[in-house]
Amino acid sequence: MRFLTIFLGLLFCCIFKSGNSATANHHQFKVDGKVLELDESNFDSAISSLDYILVDFYAPWCGHCKRLAPQLDEAAPVLAEFKEPVVIAKLDADKFTTLAHKYQIGGYPTLKLFMHGVPIDYYGPRKADLLVRYLKKFVASDVSLLSSDSAITDFIEAAGTYFPIYIGFGLNETVISDLAIKYKKKAWFSVAKDFSKDAMVLYGFNKVPALVVLHPSYKQQNVFYGPFEDDLGDFIKKNFLPLAVPMNHETLKILKDDNRTIVLTIVEDENEEKSQKAIKLLGAAASANGDLVFGYVGVKQWEEFADTFGGNEKTKLPKMIIWNGVEEYFSVIGSESLDDEEDQRSQISRFLEGFRQGRIEKHIIKGPSVTEFIRSLIGIGTVFIIVFLVAMLMLIRSLWKDDEPLKVSTRDEVHLVESSEDEQSEAESNEYRPGKKED
């Protein structure tokens, strides 16, 4: 009887503890099209129980956050209607700083998409309708099967312009399924089961099997004919960006994970007709030189970046250089710029030949924008840490000086010191010291 009582008592304690634990840790989250308010008590439960949740890390005083909120409110009910619903949630990161530090929130608002509990940074559009189209990518099928020309057209239109689109023609979906799963966050994948000769002309391939990649926002495309067993993954990875890559903050983020050397062409204006002709030639060169990235930037579009490589209105443009992605770049001796009066295709070929033969001259990136590029490559968090450490060293130095023992001086000694300080004041006026304010 005694053992039975002890057993029942232990069983009751276990049930009671389990029940309390379940009550404390389990939250019911309704997918009702409303923005979910998160805090430290329900955050972990939300991201673990909801397959897809977009979290807005905001601060109540932030103006950009206030402007974003109505867009998220508008998108939330549409996203909730997806076959695989996406829930929008928000967290006051200014209040719940532990979670903000955990997810490295460095500014407001910051959006992160949690897919089955795993966070990724959201860099997509923030207007409601475009945000919905962007997020549709993450809940779509790994490989979409298309049965007609019209189905191909509808698929491309629905995919939008933010991700590259891979379409296999005369290709079995099993050939690309594994890679489609691996790179689902970066591109759309599909296989056309039936298509016409008009489709072959439209998408620029002349035999099957073929894998076509489209970059709608750049109006560029590329074709891969195999071998699919060995080189398919390499082709897909190298074509997340178009053949000729426009240099901007977003493409630099992608290129920091690409180990290839960059052939950078600086033009006056990317939108000018003569620049567009040069860009097409760069794309053709990229097709034949897969070990290099061919990028371009217009002085009008990003003057600071172009000037870092000596490209400005005083420079003969288009200018071509070789960039290793950090603080060095190289010019090719005898091929520093492209002449509009000559065949530019041949000039680009000579430039590449000179580079591969080692006829290059080394340069160091100049100007204040170097910090911007380093921040793109190593992350803003690291820059903040470096600045913090420098500030701490300066503070320690200042405190060390302040701790020197005081000396009681005579009036004559004080007068002598004051005279000496007057003589040095002009020389020291331009010297920066700890504690001196400086913009």
Side-chain angles (χ1 to χ4, degrees), residues 123-258:
Y123 294 121
R126 299 189 175 191
K127 190 177 178 182
D129 56 338
L130 299 178
L131 182 144
V132 169
R133 176 177 283 195
Y134 186 95
L135 288 176
K136 189 182 293 183
K137 165 76 202 78
F138 297 94
V139 298
S141 302
D142 297 329
V143 180
S144 298
L145 302 180
L146 312 175
S147 58
S148 64
D149 288 5
S150 60
I152 299 172
T153 302
D154 293 342
F155 174 76
I156 294 172
E157 183 178 348
T161 61
Y162 296 100
F163 297 95
I165 303 169
Y166 293 87
I167 307 175
F169 292 91
L171 198 64
N172 192 298
E173 63 267 25
T174 59
V175 175
I176 64 171
S177 58
D178 288 344
L179 290 167
I181 294 171
K182 181 178 180 179
Y183 296 121
K184 182 173 183 176
K185 300 173 185 177
K186 296 186 176 182
W188 291 91
F189 292 89
S190 64
V191 168
K193 291 292 186 181
D194 194 13
F195 52 90
S196 67
K197 290 183 178 180
D198 292 338
M200 296 179 69
V201 174
L202 180 62
Y203 300 112
F205 64 100
N206 53 28
K207 63 180 181 178
V208 293
L211 181 66
V212 175
V213 56
L214 308 175
H215 292 275
S217 58
Y218 305 114
K219 298 180 181 179
Q220 295 186 41
Q221 62 189 53
N222 197 11
V223 184
F224 179 68
Y225 294 111
F228 292 94
E229 295 79 10
D230 302 322
D231 299 336
L232 178 59
D234 191 49
F235 172 82
I236 289 175
K237 187 176 180 180
K238 287 181 178 179
N239 281 272
F240 288 142
L241 289 170
L243 291 172
V245 183
M247 288 295 174
N248 53 53
H249 289 92
E250 294 303 316
T251 53
L252 282 178
K253 289 175 185 176
I254 297 173
L255 285 172
K256 75 176 184 179
D257 296 324
D258 195 317

